[in-house]
Amino acid sequence: MAKLLLNSDLGESFGLWTISDETQIMPYIDQANLACGFHAGDFTSMATSVALAVEHNIAIGAHPGYPDLQGFGRRHMQFSPREVKHLMLYQMGALEAFCQAKGTRIAYVKPHGALYNAIADDEALMQAAMEACARFREGLPLMTLARTDTSKVRSLAAKIGVPVLFEAFADRRYLANGNLSPRQQAGSVLTDIEAIKRQVLAIATAQPLTCLDGERITLHADSLCVHGDNPEAIAVVKQLRQLLDGLLCN
């Protein structure tokens, strides 16, 4: 069975505001998606998070978002494809500077929040995001949503020449089309650890999972996200690490 990587959105502290204990989460993940200062994070949090990721030998992903600190990047903003490409390149470059200072580099790019959803839903924005990756560095992968049908994304990625990492979510409920259920909808965020483990097991073994609307779908993913701003994130990520490692050993 192919290894399902474990990732988390980190580096989201800002000034005196600390959003998660990264020192407790990083030992259990494979990939760290680090905020680049627009939706969350700042120059100090970027430097600190990069150093921690290097210490734990974790792949660093740029996590660019809309310029929306007040809304944590979860509110949609109207940007053209050209603007999205430049928005992403700007933030990728900022994080790469801190990576270079620690002798490493960005390993992939995962857009954040509303930008992530907009890119997944709009082919022109998806192309802009892929072009940002291609312009930044040849072979730099884009991480995007694993849906029931990924053929269009794969075709576009092959055309542009950008690798794609498909991502599923441990603690978010799905709709029948493979989209994440909106956060404002009741039950869209899983908090019960046993429910999270059942969903992760289904994703890791390519078995059907139950959606919020009762439908059952199968997702094929390269990486699994556990949100670092979940109050139970540390406990959850420890158990999921054990679960995924156990599957590889069987």
Side-chain angles (χ1 to χ4, degrees):
M1 184 177 65
K3 181 180 180 180
L4 180 63
L5 302 175
L6 197 57
N7 78 72
S8 190
D9 300 344
L10 300 171
E12 294 174 329
S13 298
F14 186 83
L16 298 178
W17 180 44
T18 300
I19 195 168
S20 62
D21 189 349
E22 299 178 2
T23 62
Q24 298 296 311
I25 295 175
M26 285 207 187
Y28 299 97
I29 61 175
D30 304 293
Q31 299 167 308
N33 319 312
L34 302 186
C36 304
F38 272 33
H39 79 275
D42 58 26
F43 42 84
T44 300
S45 70
M46 282 192 277
T48 302
S49 298
V50 166
L52 275 171
V54 170
E55 178 184 342
H56 292 286
N57 196 28
I58 295 168
I60 296 171
H63 198 37
Y66 284 131
D68 180 25
L69 285 172
Q70 288 83 358
F72 200 64
R74 289 176 176 163
R75 299 181 294 191
H76 180 70
M77 302 180 77
Q78 195 69 38
F79 281 82
S80 69
R82 182 173 182 267
E83 288 172 324
V84 163
K85 180 167 66 175
H86 295 160
L87 174 80
M88 290 179 61
L89 281 169
Y90 186 99
Q91 295 176 74
M92 291 154 63
L95 186 64
E96 182 79 344
F98 291 102
C99 288
Q100 288 184 6
K102 293 297 293 184
T104 189
R105 63 181 187 174
I106 294 169
Y108 62 94
V109 179
K110 175 192 168 181
H112 167 82
L115 178 61
Y116 180 96
N117 293 331
I119 288 168
D121 289 335
D122 187 316
E123 186 172 343
L125 296 184
M126 176 66 76
Q127 180 171 335
M130 289 182 177
E131 288 175 353
C133 291
R135 288 284 299 275
F136 192 84
R137 187 173 68 243
E138 183 179 358
L140 182 64
L142 176 71
M143 185 178 287
T144 190
L145 184 64
R147 284 175 163 155
T148 51
D149 182 4
T150 58
S151 57
K152 287 185 178 180
V153 174
R154 293 180 188 276
S155 178
L156 185 60
K159 178 182 177 182
I160 297 174
V162 172
V164 178
L165 297 172
F166 287 103
E167 177 187 40
F169 288 78
D171 49 9
R172 292 290 305 279
R173 297 294 297 276
Y174 283 86
L175 301 177
N177 61 0
N179 282 349
L180 297 175
S181 58
R183 280 183 174 269
Q184 62 270 26
Q185 190 170 349
S188 65
V189 178
L190 289 170
T191 56
D192 177 69
I193 183 59
E194 294 305 318
I196 291 173
K197 288 166 69 174
R198 285 195 296 272
Q199 178 156 296
V200 168
L201 184 60
I203 294 168
T205 58
Q207 297 298 313
L209 60 88
T210 302
C211 299
L212 187 62
D213 49 14
E215 295 289 331
R216 288 173 64 78
I217 61 172
T218 301
L219 300 174
H220 299 275
D222 302 298
S223 191
L224 183 76
C225 180
V226 178
H227 285 101
D229 59 342
N230 181 338
E232 304 299 325
I234 297 170
V236 170
V237 79
K238 286 181 179 179
Q239 293 197 45
L240 294 187
R241 177 81 280 159
Q242 185 177 21
L243 175 64
L244 294 177
D245 288 349
L247 289 174
L248 287 175
C249 293
N250 293 334

